[in-house]
Amino acid sequence: MTLIVGLGNPTKQYENTRHNVGFMLIDLLKSPEFIDVSSAKFQGELYKFKNTLLLKPQTYMNLSGNSVKAVNDFYKPDRIIVIHDDLDLNFGAVRFKKGGSSGGHNGIKSIDNLIGNDYERVRIGIGRKGNAANFVLGEFSQAEKEYLDKILIHCKEAVVELLKSDINAISQKFSIKKGVEI
């Protein structure tokens, strides 16, 4: 079984913010075949189809690990893939890795603290401007919105392929190194 986690913050207030690209990608991946298996014990929206779970933690970013740990403890997936925004990558850059440091991302830190860092990551670049906290909780600019759908569709294709392949092959095929000049 594979658990795919998209990081973000719940509520309408954060719906279109940079920090929520993980949630946005889960929404794209969630086809009608996925059944809602959410439960209070999972602290998140959880969907299942065959051997794939899609999770949107509802704990707010800094406590994402609580939800991931609850689902991990119950379903014991063989593989975990976490999708998240990355301030250190230019807007539109996409990278893939397994393990490594959190890079200061509080959602990743929370997961690492509770289950370790032996999972795969899809890092979606959002760039960095000004105060990091305000920036990640801000909405995409109009210019960014014009590219966002293309970036998310590219990432969806990558994740679908990742389910059938390994992180190194997907990294070579789907990484976008420079991102988009905005």
Side-chain angles (χ1 to χ4, degrees):
M1 181 166 291
T2 299
L3 170 61
I4 303 172
V5 181
L7 297 187
N9 285 309
T11 74
K12 200 98 172 125
Q13 174 185 355
Y14 298 107
E15 188 174 41
N16 296 308
T17 63
R18 291 179 183 90
H19 231 6
N20 274 33
V21 294
F23 276 16
M24 293 173 193
L25 189 51
I26 291 294
D27 289 340
L28 272 180
L29 289 164
K30 188 178 67 177
S31 61
E33 295 87 9
F34 280 89
I35 298 166
D36 188 340
V37 293
S38 302
S39 166
K41 68 182 169 192
F42 298 136
Q43 301 175 58
E45 293 178 16
L46 184 64
Y47 305 92
K48 184 175 188 280
F49 176 65
K50 294 185 180 180
N51 287 323
T52 303
L53 297 164
L54 302 176
L55 175 64
K56 291 169 56 175
Q58 300 296 294
T59 54
Y60 289 92
M61 184 64 75
N62 295 358
L63 299 174
S64 296
N66 294 344
S67 178
V68 174
K69 182 176 182 347
V71 173
N72 185 55
D73 288 352
F74 186 83
Y75 282 99
K76 301 184 182 355
D78 304 317
R79 186 178 193 190
I80 299 175
I81 300 167
V82 177
I83 303 160
H84 65 92
D85 62 291
D86 195 318
L87 278 169
D88 294 326
L89 297 177
N90 291 334
F91 173 77
V94 179
R95 301 279 177 85
F96 305 85
K97 72 185 251 180
K98 184 167 183 177
S101 79
S102 68
H105 192 290
N106 288 331
I108 297 296
K109 280 183 194 175
S110 175
I111 295 168
D112 290 355
N113 287 339
L114 293 173
I115 68 163
N117 70 353
D118 189 30
Y119 55 88
E120 297 160 284
R121 292 167 44 190
V122 178
R123 301 163 50 212
I124 302 173
I126 59 168
R128 180 189 296 262
K129 293 178 185 151
N131 175 280
N134 291 336
F135 185 71
V136 298
L137 296 177
E139 293 192 6
F140 289 98
S141 71
Q142 191 58 43
E144 290 170 330
K145 286 178 186 175
E146 292 178 22
Y147 292 99
L148 185 59
D149 286 342
K150 292 176 188 170
I151 294 162
L152 291 172
I153 288 168
H154 174 84
C155 291
K156 176 185 176 182
E157 292 170 4
V159 171
V160 168
E161 287 292 317
L162 185 55
L163 290 172
K164 302 178 268 185
S165 188
D166 68 49
I167 195 88
N168 295 325
I170 295 308
S171 181
Q172 289 178 359
K173 184 174 180 182
F174 286 96
S175 287
I176 300 173
K177 299 199 188 273
K178 292 186 181 181
V180 179
E181 293 285 329
I182 299 285

